[in-house]
Amino acid sequence: MFIAATQDAKFRAFDKRTGALLWEATLPAPGYATPSTFAVGGKQFVVVAAGGGKLGSKPRDTYVAYTLP
């Protein structure tokens, strides 16, 4: 499960059964958006909009994509 809707600009992956943190990365701005996944050429990716601008965070206009293993 991926979550990016935090003021600390972290994008995190959790185990949906245990709730254990599996991975995290720092975004250029908070990602107050729902992450999305897609596949290209047999590789799967997850992408999130890092726009910030809410709750006093600095606004940006960036999309960040990661390759899934």
Side-chain angles (χ1 to χ4, degrees):
M1 176 170 62
F2 292 97
I3 298 176
T6 61
Q7 284 186 278
D8 65 1
K10 297 288 185 179
F11 187 31
R12 294 178 175 94
F14 295 92
D15 183 299
K16 69 179 183 177
R17 284 173 286 216
T18 67
L21 178 65
L22 301 174
W23 170 85
E24 75 176 13
T26 302
L27 297 169
Y32 298 119
T34 301
S36 181
T37 66
F38 62 94
V40 175
K43 285 189 175 185
Q44 188 173 3
F45 299 84
V46 62
V47 63
V48 65
K54 293 184 180 180
L55 304 172
S57 62
K58 188 173 183 177
R60 301 268 191 201
D61 60 353
T62 305
Y63 289 91
V64 182
Y66 298 92
T67 305
L68 298 179

